[in-house]
Each structure stands twice: as C-alpha cells, then as structure tokens.
Amino acid sequence: MDIVFGDAELARVCNSSAARQERYGPEASATLLRRLGQMAAAARLSDLRLLAAARIRACPGDERLGRLIALTGRDHLTVRPRDAPTATLADGALDEHAVRALIVTSVTIVR
C-alpha cells in the first residue's frame, strides 16, 4: 500500500530514525517502523487483517472510514483511506479490500 502522512511533522518523525526514537522511545519506535513496513508491504488494507498483532478496528466516534491499527497494548496508528469515496460499500462502510493507500493521521503512544 501507499502510505502518506496527515502532516509534514508526522512524516518527518515517522521517517527519521533519530526523531522517531526521540519522540516515542526505542521500543515503540521499533514497533512503529515494523508496522509501517508491514503496511507498505501489504497490497490492501484487508491484508493487514492476516497479522493478528495489527488488531485493526474502527475508530470510536469517528466516521465509518477511520481505522486504528495496533502497535502494542494501547498504542496505535490512526489511519484513513487516501481515496475515501472509492473505498466504500453501498451502505457507506469501508471496503477494506479496495483500500490501496492510507493516510496516517496520528500515532498514539500511551506511556
């Protein structure tokens, strides 16, 4: 999948080893890098469901398109499809098989 970031600062931190470790610590940084790699290797969002540790779930209180992708414990990435209008089913629910690009909108690390 293609991965883009919601803003330049998030992209800078996620793509820089030093910035990622400074912001999230060495363990969370390694987990974040691994999960981003798994996301990039997947062809579709639905493929990530094969990774039990990803624990994909709907964003609570969010529109039906947002998803949380687990990192560890309560830590997670918040994502949404880049091409939202073409990634929905007739009832408006997200068609995870059609999602081939994600926007990472936030990284939540609970300390």
Side-chain angles (χ1 to χ4, degrees):
M1 280 188 297
D2 290 332
I3 301 170
V4 295
F5 296 91
D7 61 58
E9 176 62 11
L10 183 59
R12 182 190 71 77
V13 170
C14 288
N15 289 312
S16 165
S17 180
R20 198 174 48 252
Q21 287 187 23
E22 181 180 327
R23 171 85 49 98
Y24 304 120
E27 187 176 319
S29 173
T31 303
L32 173 59
L33 182 62
R34 182 174 54 252
R35 188 71 73 233
L36 289 170
Q38 291 166 337
M39 291 165 58
R44 300 173 178 83
L45 177 59
S46 61
D47 294 342
L48 291 177
R49 291 211 175 265
L50 299 174
L51 300 172
R55 295 188 326 267
I56 299 173
R57 58 207 184 278
C59 288
D62 193 7
E63 80 281 358
R64 298 190 313 187
L65 301 179
R67 292 290 183 267
L68 300 177
I69 299 176
L71 295 172
T72 59
R74 299 182 303 173
D75 302 343
H76 61 267
L77 296 168
T78 304
V79 301
R80 63 183 168 85
R82 184 185 66 193
D83 306 316
T86 61
T88 57
L89 299 171
D91 65 354
L94 181 63
D95 180 3
E96 293 181 356
H97 295 284
V99 177
R100 294 179 181 268
L102 288 174
I103 299 172
V104 177
T105 57
S106 68
V107 176
T108 302
I109 305 294
V110 180
R111 297 181 192 225

